[in-house]
Amino acid sequence: MDPASSPNPASASFAPAGFPSDTDEDGVSPGYIVPEIIVTEPAWRRHIPHADRLIRRVARAAGSTADCVVLSCDRDVRRLNARHRGKDKPTNVLTFEPVGMPGAEGGEIVLALGVVLREAKAARKRPAHHLAHLLVHGVLHLHGHDHHHAGDARRMEAEEARIMRSLGMPNPWKRS
């Protein structure tokens, strides 16, 4: 299936995320939107074991309302990036607001394994920490944050660092 050919680019035929009736093994509270996690690139499991637990934990800490997180490959993310942003190259993370409902809760976050691994290696970071940071970044985009202007970028980076600290992970903006 070409993920870019559907109204919701990443998860066209997948069921929406659910609302648990009680806390799950990660302690997610009732009424909290748990994102559906779709792994289209199996190598994610080898490089970041238990990524699903990490994603739920990060989503909760960041106050995510995303319906779906897709762990994909560079090729598919490149296709989505070209179609939706006019950039014919893979990127680390893409976010998609609910179609026809700007500002509404929900949305999708799509991550490219190859880019995530290359960036983590270049920055001497653990891939799991980099995944966590990019997920926080995507959640903040869905909440309306942006980084096109210096002041906005500083605010967004500070919020990313705060959330990462709350998870017991290093500040992604400090060099190791």
Side-chain angles (χ1 to χ4, degrees), residues 48-96:
I48 305 176
H50 310 294
D52 55 334
R53 283 191 273 182
L54 175 65
I55 290 167
R56 286 191 296 271
R57 186 172 159 239
V58 170
R60 182 176 56 249
S64 176
T65 58
D67 296 317
C68 181
V69 174
V70 180
L71 301 178
S72 193
C73 63
D74 287 10
R75 183 193 53 163
D76 290 345
V77 172
R78 176 183 179 181
R79 203 174 315 142
L80 289 168
N81 203 23
R83 178 172 288 185
H84 296 281
R85 297 178 64 225
K87 297 181 180 189
D88 191 19
K89 62 180 184 175
T91 188
N92 50 19
V93 61
L94 291 171
T95 57
F96 296 94

Side-chain angles (χ1 to χ4, degrees), residues 139-162:
V139 167
L140 292 178
H141 273 304
L142 289 175
H143 289 180
H145 291 262
D146 219 326
H147 46 80
H148 293 296
H149 302 288
D152 294 336
R154 280 191 298 275
R155 282 186 288 281
M156 190 169 182
E157 289 171 6
E159 184 64 7
E160 289 171 1
R162 184 193 68 74

Side-chain angles (χ1 to χ4, degrees), residues 1-17 33 35-38 40 55 64-72 80 84 92-99 101 104-111 134-135 137-143:
M1 177 180 91
D2 177 4
S5 66
S6 67
N8 286 336
S11 66
S13 63
F14 300 98
I33 298 176
E36 180 177 9
I37 300 165
I38 300 170
T40 63
I55 290 167
S64 176
T65 58
D67 296 317
C68 181
V69 174
V70 180
L71 301 178
S72 193
L80 289 168
H84 296 281
N92 50 19
V93 61
L94 291 171
T95 57
F96 296 94
E97 290 183 342
V99 176
M101 301 167 37
E105 288 187 354
E108 299 177 5
I109 300 171
V110 185
L111 297 118
L134 294 173
L135 184 57
H137 186 85
V139 167
L140 292 178
H141 273 304
L142 289 175
H143 289 180

